[in-house]
Amino acid sequence: MGEGQFLSRNSLNRGKMTGLCAMQQRIMACVAVTALFTTSAGADYEAGQAAWDAGLHTEAVATWQVAAQANDARAMLALGRAFVAGVGVPQDYVEAHKWLNLAAGLGDVDAAAERDALAAEMTAEERAEARKLARTWRTAGDPSVTDARPPDTPEAIAAPPSPAAPPERALREAQELLAALGYAPGPADGKWGRRSIEAYRNFLGDAGMDPSDVLTPEALRAMREMARSAEIAAEATAPPPDALHRAVRAGNRDALAAALAAGADVDGLDERGWTALMHAANRGYPLLVAPLLEAGAGLDSRAPDGATALFMATAHGYSEVIAQLMGAEADVTVPGPTGMTAVDVARARYGDVDTARRNGEGLAVRALIQGVPLAEAAEAEELGRPVAGATFRDCDACPEMVVVPKGSFMMGSRALDTVHPVTIPVALAVGKYEVTFAEWNACRADGGCAHSPDDEGWGRGNRPVIYVTWIDAQAYVRWLSR
């Protein structure tokens, strides 16, 4: 028969066979109400119809084949429909097309319509083979020339056609279905080996079907139905694509837990390109941030504008969420909108470390201001010293200082061949900006500096102090250190 005996899963899913009386769903009705009931119908067709109605499908097909030899178009139409559905015979589109084509040639318009609809589901090679079969069907003799009708005996009527071996594509599909259902048939290579047979037997047992080593159309249909039922069940229990985001936006912790338990993608993006963690951080929901972090949410995922969850929490001043994200070691250096990092935003919002401490901000915020990991900030504070990169002031009128770590670096210009190593043996603090007139005046007011520099009319206040000698500068440094 060839590969046309079996209908592939893809073909089953296309739903294009509207002209075939809805094919499998309505095959029983289509055969039962065939449009060619006439008073001249042969006894063989009627006998086949009676067998079909009684559920004796194999016997009905054999009887219709006898009627078809006598040029009964109704029997040919019935055979075509039987081969389409795989009821009473192996499912075979090529054979079905042959019978429908023969019936159409005798003037059956229903057969012509169903043949054309079926042809749309077939390959060009299958259609060519079906037409060849139709042309050569009567090589054993045409009733118009000599009676080639088989003996009209019960044995001849009841004898079913010899089943052909399942085609490779059917075997491959069965292997794929068995694997999807968890029966481990081995590779889907279209070769019906020991592992495939063992898996097939197990499936038949679970499905309550008779044991067999030979793949049948009925078993293949059962596999498809079971696989589809499993897919429907999985779809029914899977969370909606945006369930996680909806739960976070609503602040619903129980819905969040349910979505995570159902397998929602913790790093999935919504229509804004945000993750659930970004929404939780942006809304300041620490009770939702915690389970998202436990589920492995990406700390440093970036929104379309570059913002991370840490950047969002810092921009809104959600200190508790900042602590959670810093504790999870979020990257503080990721540039966000306009190139600003979370550190830049923290310094703009909270000020320096001392200001943040005076305002009651926790260690996480102070670590973020310094741009260092939480553990490093904790160790530095425990030892009573600022960490590298940290800024501080010794008094309200004192200049802002930044901690420079010990170490070595290369200084100079390669173009001018002035590159040389510089080593800082111990950590030290240097002024972050030039000393201003206001800061110098604080030294004079406290008695640490005697010199009163002129501003040449450029202005004083926060402008850099000028006309200061080395000796004057040493006096300022001694006062500042004291």
Side-chain angles (χ1 to χ4, degrees), residues 172-211:
R172 186 180 297 109
E173 181 188 356
Q175 290 168 326
E176 292 173 351
L177 290 168
L178 288 169
L181 294 170
Y183 288 99
D189 55 7
K191 296 178 174 58
W192 205 237
R194 180 185 58 80
R195 291 178 62 184
S196 296
I197 292 174
E198 183 178 352
Y200 179 56
R201 288 174 180 168
N202 292 335
F203 165 79
L204 293 175
D206 292 342
M209 302 178 71
D210 293 336

Side-chain angles (χ1 to χ4, degrees), residues 137-153:
W137 175 59
R138 295 192 184 280
T139 54
D142 192 311
S144 62
V145 179
T146 179
D147 188 2
R149 182 174 175 178
D152 191 9
T153 62

Side-chain angles (χ1 to χ4, degrees), residues 379-394:
E379 180 184 3
E381 293 202 6
E382 183 179 354
L383 296 175
R385 58 176 172 77
V387 298
T391 60
F392 63 92
R393 295 178 188 274
D394 287 317

Side-chain angles (χ1 to χ4, degrees), residues 300-462:
D300 304 318
S301 297
R302 304 177 68 186
D305 64 356
T308 63
L310 179 61
F311 186 99
M312 295 176 180
T314 306
H316 292 295
Y318 297 136
S319 300
E320 191 171 351
V321 175
I322 293 174
Q324 290 175 302
L325 298 174
M326 289 292 289
E329 300 183 355
D331 188 348
V332 302
T333 66
V334 178
T338 68
M340 295 180 66
T341 67
V343 175
D344 299 324
V345 176
R347 290 171 179 171
R349 169 172 282 277
Y350 298 105
D352 58 22
V353 173
D354 289 333
T355 302
R357 184 183 289 107
R358 286 196 299 271
N359 290 335
E361 299 297 342
L363 178 64
V365 171
R366 300 198 299 273
L368 180 57
I369 292 171
Q370 299 172 75
V372 298
L374 192 59
E376 184 177 339
E379 180 184 3
E381 293 202 6
E382 183 179 354
L383 296 175
R385 58 176 172 77
V387 298
T391 60
F392 63 92
R393 295 178 188 274
D394 287 317
C395 64
D396 290 341
C398 292
E400 183 178 9
M401 310 293 287
V402 61
V403 177
V404 178
K406 67 177 182 179
S408 300
F409 66 97
M410 301 301 293
M411 174 184 260
S413 168
R414 295 188 183 279
L416 299 177
D417 197 23
T418 59
V419 177
H420 60 282
V422 174
T423 298
I424 300 176
V426 296
L428 52 86
V430 299
K432 191 172 183 180
Y433 308 105
E434 297 91 339
V435 177
T436 65
F437 272 101
E439 291 164 350
W440 185 270
N441 289 340
C443 178
R444 290 187 68 246
D446 196 39
C449 301
H451 177 57
S452 179
D454 190 358
D455 64 2
E456 288 289 342
W458 290 352
R460 305 178 75 84
N462 288 327

Side-chain angles (χ1 to χ4, degrees), residues 69-89:
Q69 291 285 343
N71 271 2
D72 192 317
R74 296 171 301 168
M76 295 175 182
L77 176 60
L79 285 170
R81 290 169 172 169
F83 276 103
V84 164
V87 178
V89 288

